[in-house]
């Protein structure tokens, strides 16, 4: 088989709402160049699908007699409003694609599972035809945790039979995330549209035991429905709640964080301006002491520049005696009269400027953080048809031209976004399709504390419990602490502000224990001995057992402690105990292997960080890091490895083994 090239590798990552794809591996790995909605529309013929909604439109045309170049009576087809005598009118049916609607759309994936194979195959074919790869193109497909082995076989057969690909590879999304982060062991929490997946990966191997697959209601859609449940009585729609969730005013607060209430205000004087004026004039010594006790004006007022106050009662100024009386004779005798007057004028101007700045800062409203504001405003972009916007008698073309030619708050967002060589062509095509159909109108909407209750329906607790069960299900006990220290939270559902921090805070409050806690050592005590108390009441007393002289341990002696003591100093062993020394050491090693290492509860929980040398991913974020890991894996499997480690299935191997052979290949 000839070697593959970087520019021929095709990567496809299907999702419940968005499918990512890219042809070719760039020198520096970038986000996906092709992003399309994971939806298909039934075509006119049964069993066929279209990527966009196709609508029928009746167009009335007329035939008029128009004189052209001195020739009379030539029939020309023109639309309504053409000049000339209409001779004949007829209606014509045309078909237009509407990219702005979801009417009649079929989503083949739901919670990661394929529910419509016909539409899913049509979607994959549409992605393949859009990128138009060459014949000698290997394909890497990112799989969902909910897909079964039978699903893998079905996809393998489809790609080999439909596209005649020379090599095909299936890669789990959680494993791809580990490739992106460069960590062999990690706990991957993928928060998607309608579900959440929790996977424990140990040394690049997926632990299927205890894996939480497709936790329903713990995705971004569940948060939107929670907002809709709270705000529906106030006239909010689902689209408004979706845009509110994506805005910066919507925030998930950590557990036990109080919500802001009406009437809350910062601590400070009732009249800030008068208070500052009194203090700056020096008429209130008690007032100055009050401010100094609160940390200065900045702490007392909550805002404004820092002001350093001089104690006018204790400092003696130059040119003044101890009684505060200006000594003119000493000033004149010093010969620095002009410098003294200039300094006095400068000090007076600085005092006036400081007083004015402090008063302005105190009069200005306080800028509270979002978590302390009762109400906030977000921008809602409503899609409106141009027919609805033509209510004032303006022509539709004028409205369309004003929206495209001015810097107003109206914008048009295409459903298909493609970067690279075909980006400009795609953008032109989308502008042509959207022209004359609809446009966005921006509105400012005020919302209350409901924006903080996005995840208060138990989403965080449910995900935290799934993480705990998944880590405890790992058979390698020594890996559990490493799994807790390499937690990866990603997915577009986790983009909500404060979601990741709130999830970590939930894990810390429910499962984290302090490493200095004395309770972690209680497992070293024998089972028949109670835990010692601080008063010494339960302190074990030394007991004498005759059988211990023969090398046997009584019920009050810790065998591990005895074996460790006699092993380090054999002279302390009683007569006859040397013959049992070897067996005691074996027993100690056995208990150490069986010991849980306190893996039931973590002593630390840390979040893994993605490497910073992928500069193109810094602005995009790590929510789609699985696609980055797929590029890294494709580079290793198709280009570097060339199939030596059975990372992919070739065409000849498919002919010999069939679709069932895909289980013997892969990462």
């Amino acid at each position: 088989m000839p070697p593959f090239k970087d520019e021929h590798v095709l990567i496809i990552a299907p999702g419940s709402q968005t499918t990512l794809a890219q042809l070719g591996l760039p020198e520096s790995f970038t986000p996906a160049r092709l992003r399309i909605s994971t939806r298909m529309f039934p075509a006119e013929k049964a069993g066929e699908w279209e990527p966009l909604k196709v609508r029928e439109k009746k167009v009335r045309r007329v035939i008029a007699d128009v004189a052209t170049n001195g020739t009379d009576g030539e029939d020309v087809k023109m639309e309504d409003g053409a000049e000339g005598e209409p001779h004949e009118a007829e209606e014509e049916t045309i078909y237009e694609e509407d990219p702005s609607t979801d009417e009649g759309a079929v989503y083949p994936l739901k919670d990661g599972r394929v529910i419509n194979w016909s539409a899913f195959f049509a979607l994959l074919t549409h992605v393949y035809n859009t990128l138009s790869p060459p014949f000698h193109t290997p394909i890497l497909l990112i799989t969902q945790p909910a897909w079964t082995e039978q699903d893998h076989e079905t996809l393998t057969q489809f790609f080999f039979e439909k596209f005649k690909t020379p090599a095909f590879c299936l890669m789990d999304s959680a494993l791809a995330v580990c490739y992106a982060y460069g960590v062999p062991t990690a706990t991957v929490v993928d928060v998607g549209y309608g579900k959440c997946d929790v996977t424990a990966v140990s040394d690049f191997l997926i632990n299927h035991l205890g894996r939480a697959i497709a936790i329903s209601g713990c995705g971004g859609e569940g948060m939107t429905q929670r907002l809709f449940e709270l705000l529906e009585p106030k006239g909010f729609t689902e689209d408004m709640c979706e845009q509110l969730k994506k805005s910066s005013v919507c925030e998930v607060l950590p557990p036990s964080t109080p919500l802001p209430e009406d009437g809350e205000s910062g601590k400070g004087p009732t009249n800030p301006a008068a208070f500052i004026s009194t203090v700056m004039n020096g008429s209130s010594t008690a007032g100055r002491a009050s401010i100094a006790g609160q940390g200065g004006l900045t702490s007392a007022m909550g805002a404004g520049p820092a002001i350093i106050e001089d104690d006018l009662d204790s400092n003696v100024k130059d040119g003044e005696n101890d009684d505060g009386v200006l000594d003119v004779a000493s000033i004149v005798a010093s010969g620095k009269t002009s410098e003294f007057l200039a300094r006095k004028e400068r000090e007076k101007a600085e005092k006036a400027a400081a007083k004015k700045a402090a008063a302005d800062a105190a009069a200005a409203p306080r800028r509270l953080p979002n978590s302390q504001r009762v109400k906030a405003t977000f921008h809602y972009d409503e899609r409106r048809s141009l027919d609805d916007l033509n209510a004032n008698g303006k022509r539709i073309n004028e409205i369309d031209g004003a929206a495209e030619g001015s810097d107003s708050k109206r914008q048009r967002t295409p459903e298909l976004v493609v970067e690279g060589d075909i980006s400009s062509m795609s953008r032109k095509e989308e502008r042509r399709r959207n022209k004359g159909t609809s446009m966005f109108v921006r509105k400012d909407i005020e919302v209350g504390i409901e924006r903080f209750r996005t995840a208060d329906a138990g989403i965080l607790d449910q995900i935290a419990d799934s993480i705990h069960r998944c880590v405890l299900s790992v058979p390698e006990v020594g890996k559990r602490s490493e799994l807790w220290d390499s937690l990866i939270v990603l997915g577009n559902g986790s983009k909500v502000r404060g979601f990741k921090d709130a999830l970590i805070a939930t894990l810390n409050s429910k499962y984290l224990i302090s490493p200095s806690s004395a309770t972690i050592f209680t497992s070293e005590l024998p089972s028949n001995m109670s835990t010692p108390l601080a008063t010494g009441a339960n302190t074990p007393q030394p007991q004498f057992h005759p059988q211990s002289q023969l090398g046997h341990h009584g019920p009050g002696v810790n065998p591990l402690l005895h074996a460790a003591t006699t092993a380090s100093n054999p002279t302390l062993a009683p007569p006859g105990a040397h013959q049992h020394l070897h067996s005691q050491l074996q027993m100690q090693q056995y208990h150490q292997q069986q010991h849980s290492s306190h893996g039931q509860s973590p002593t630390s929980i840390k979040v893994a960080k993605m490497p910073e040398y992928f500069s193109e991913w810094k602005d995009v974020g790590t929510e789609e890091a699985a696609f980055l890991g797929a590029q890294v894996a494709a580079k290793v499997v198709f280009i570097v490895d060339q199939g030596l480690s059975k990372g992919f299935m070739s065409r000849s191997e498919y002919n010999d083994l069939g679709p069932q052979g895909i289980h013997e290949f892969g990462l």
Side-chain angles (χ1 to χ4, degrees):
M1 178 187 299
F4 300 112
K5 298 181 179 180
D6 291 348
E7 57 269 19
H8 293 166
V9 177
L10 176 60
I11 302 175
I12 303 176
S16 298
Q17 291 294 306
T18 305
T19 296
L20 310 178
Q22 179 173 300
L23 177 62
L25 298 176
E27 183 177 354
S28 179
F29 298 140
T30 61
R33 296 179 179 177
L34 177 64
R35 303 173 58 91
I36 62 175
S37 298
T38 309
R39 64 183 185 187
M40 298 300 291
F41 296 87
E44 186 177 1
K45 186 177 179 180
E48 296 184 357
W49 303 88
E50 296 288 345
L52 296 174
K53 178 69 175 179
V54 178
R55 299 184 182 275
E56 294 184 1
K57 185 177 181 180
K58 300 291 185 179
V59 178
R60 185 172 180 272
R61 298 183 181 274
V62 297
I63 301 178
D65 296 332
V66 181
T68 306
N69 296 331
T71 304
D72 297 334
E74 183 177 358
D75 294 337
V76 180
K77 270 190 176 181
M78 303 185 68
E79 295 183 358
D80 293 342
E83 296 180 358
E85 295 278 340
H87 180 69
E88 183 180 355
E90 61 180 10
E91 286 188 354
E92 181 180 356
T93 301
I94 62 175
Y95 296 90
E96 291 184 348
E97 293 179 342
D98 187 1
S100 62
T101 182
D102 286 341
E103 180 184 353
V106 175
Y107 289 85
L109 296 180
K110 182 178 181 181
D111 293 343
R113 298 180 174 89
V114 182
I115 59 175
N116 193 320
W117 281 102
S118 177
F120 188 49
F121 288 154
L123 174 69
L124 296 176
T125 304
H126 171 61
V127 172
Y128 189 90
N129 295 335
T130 302
L131 296 175
S132 186
F135 181 75
H136 192 65
T137 298
I139 301 177
L140 187 148
L141 182 67
I142 299 296
T143 63
Q144 295 290 330
W147 293 358
T148 63
E149 293 184 355
Q150 185 178 1
D151 296 340
H152 294 174
E153 297 174 5
T154 303
L155 289 168
T156 302
Q157 182 178 4
F158 171 76
F159 275 94
F160 274 110
E161 299 294 341
K162 178 70 175 180
F163 306 122
K164 311 298 181 183
T165 177
F168 181 67
C169 175
L170 292 175
M171 186 176 188
D172 193 279
S173 59
L175 186 60
V177 173
C178 293
Y179 271 75
Y181 278 76
V183 291
T185 302
T187 303
V188 182
V189 182
D190 188 358
V191 184
Y193 174 72
K195 49 87 179 178
C196 175
D197 300 316
V198 181
T199 307
V201 181
S202 177
D203 293 331
F204 292 113
L205 296 177
I206 297 177
N207 294 276
H208 296 279
L209 181 63
R211 187 179 190 183
I213 299 177
I215 308 174
S216 180
C218 293
E221 178 63 15
M223 303 182 201
T224 303
Q225 293 299 325
R226 176 57 179 166
L227 286 176
F228 182 64
E229 178 184 351
L230 296 172
L231 296 174
E232 184 181 11
K234 297 184 179 181
F236 278 65
T237 62
E238 290 191 15
D239 186 50
M240 295 170 65
C241 295
E242 178 70 18
Q243 295 192 31
L244 170 62
K245 182 191 70 176
K246 296 179 180 179
S247 65
S248 59
V249 301
C250 182
E251 184 176 359
V252 180
L253 300 180
S256 304
T257 301
L259 297 178
E261 298 179 359
D262 293 332
E264 283 191 357
S265 60
K267 296 181 180 180
T270 307
N271 191 343
F275 182 76
I276 291 179
S277 176
T278 304
V279 172
M280 295 303 296
N281 288 334
S283 60
S284 176
T285 305
R288 293 197 301 273
S290 175
I291 290 186
Q294 297 178 9
L297 286 178
T298 303
S299 174
M301 305 309 304
I307 300 176
I308 302 177
E309 299 183 5
D310 296 333
D311 193 346
L312 302 179
D313 297 333
S314 60
N315 293 340
V316 179
K317 305 298 180 181
D318 295 339
E320 298 180 358
N321 56 18
D322 296 340
D323 297 333
V325 179
L326 188 64
D327 192 353
V328 180
S330 61
I331 296 174
V332 175
S334 64
K336 299 180 180 180
T337 306
S338 59
E339 291 83 350
F340 178 80
L341 295 176
R343 182 167 57 84
K344 284 294 183 180
E345 292 294 333
R346 185 170 59 255
E347 291 177 357
K348 183 179 180 181
E350 289 177 355
K351 277 187 177 182
K355 178 180 177 182
K356 183 177 183 302
D360 294 343
R366 296 178 56 190
R367 293 186 59 88
L368 296 175
N370 178 62
S371 59
Q372 298 181 11
R373 286 183 290 174
V374 178
K375 295 184 179 181
T377 303
F378 73 99
H379 301 299
Y380 170 59
D381 295 331
E382 181 183 9
R383 182 185 290 273
R384 300 281 298 276
S385 64
L386 294 181
D387 295 336
D388 297 338
L389 297 176
N390 194 21
N392 296 328
K394 297 182 180 180
R395 292 186 303 173
I396 294 179
N397 293 335
E398 293 179 355
I399 300 177
D400 193 14
E404 294 182 355
S406 62
D407 294 335
S408 63
K409 295 184 179 180
R410 300 173 182 176
Q411 57 184 356
R412 182 178 290 108
T413 305
E415 296 292 334
L416 179 63
V417 179
V418 186
E419 299 179 1
D421 298 334
I422 60 176
S423 60
S424 59
M425 178 186 64
S426 175
R427 285 194 293 268
K428 291 179 181 179
E429 182 68 16
E430 290 302 324
R431 284 197 297 266
R432 183 189 66 80
R433 290 172 178 172
N434 281 336
K435 186 176 182 180
T437 57
S438 62
M439 64 191 309
F440 285 105
V441 177
R442 174 163 292 185
K443 300 179 180 179
D444 293 336
I445 300 179
E446 189 179 57
V447 64
I449 60 174
E450 295 86 0
R451 67 187 191 276
F452 300 123
R453 302 176 59 186
T454 307
D456 66 348
I459 295 179
L460 296 177
D461 292 335
Q462 193 171 356
I463 296 177
D465 294 343
S466 300
I467 295 174
H468 187 249
R469 288 194 301 268
C470 183
V471 175
L472 291 185
S473 300
V474 175
E476 300 178 7
V477 180
K479 292 288 185 180
R480 294 178 183 176
S481 60
E482 189 175 354
L483 289 170
W484 283 113
D485 290 339
S486 299
L487 188 65
I488 301 176
V489 182
L490 74 161
N492 290 324
S494 64
K495 282 186 176 182
V496 181
R497 181 180 178 183
F499 179 84
K500 298 179 181 179
D501 296 336
L503 179 59
I504 299 300
T506 303
L507 290 172
N508 290 334
S509 62
K510 297 187 66 174
Y511 304 111
L512 186 67
I513 61 175
S514 174
S516 60
S517 176
T519 57
I520 66 176
F521 301 105
T522 57
S523 61
E524 303 295 342
L525 299 175
S527 58
N528 63 341
M529 184 182 299
S530 60
T531 304
L533 299 178
T535 58
N538 293 340
T539 303
Q541 301 296 327
Q543 301 177 4
F544 176 78
H545 299 279
Q547 61 269 29
S548 63
Q549 300 293 334
L550 300 177
H552 302 283
H553 308 295
V557 180
N558 191 341
L560 299 180
L561 179 61
H562 181 273
T565 304
T566 55
S568 60
N569 194 352
T571 59
L572 299 179
H578 292 284
Q579 57 184 350
H580 301 284
L581 180 60
H582 183 66
S583 60
Q584 293 292 341
L585 293 178
Q586 288 181 344
M587 182 187 302
Q588 181 181 4
Q589 294 176 358
Y590 172 79
H591 282 282
Q592 288 178 353
Q593 293 175 359
Q594 296 297 324
H595 197 269
S596 63
S597 299
H598 312 292
Q600 300 295 329
S601 298
T603 57
S604 64
I605 300 177
K606 300 179 182 178
V607 179
K609 294 183 178 180
M610 196 170 68
E612 298 181 356
Y613 44 77
F614 298 110
S615 57
E616 290 81 1
W617 288 83
K618 291 183 179 179
D619 299 332
V620 178
T622 61
E623 285 76 17
E624 297 177 353
F627 195 83
L628 172 60
Q631 297 180 71
V632 176
K635 181 75 172 182
V636 174
V637 172
F638 293 126
I639 308 302
V640 179
D641 185 70
Q642 292 288 333
L644 295 178
S645 61
K646 291 188 176 182
F648 62 85
M649 188 178 191
S650 63
R651 178 72 186 181
S652 59
E653 292 167 339
Y654 173 77
N655 294 334
D656 296 339
L657 302 176
Q660 295 79 8
I662 191 62
H663 306 302
E664 301 179 8
F665 301 88
L667 300 172

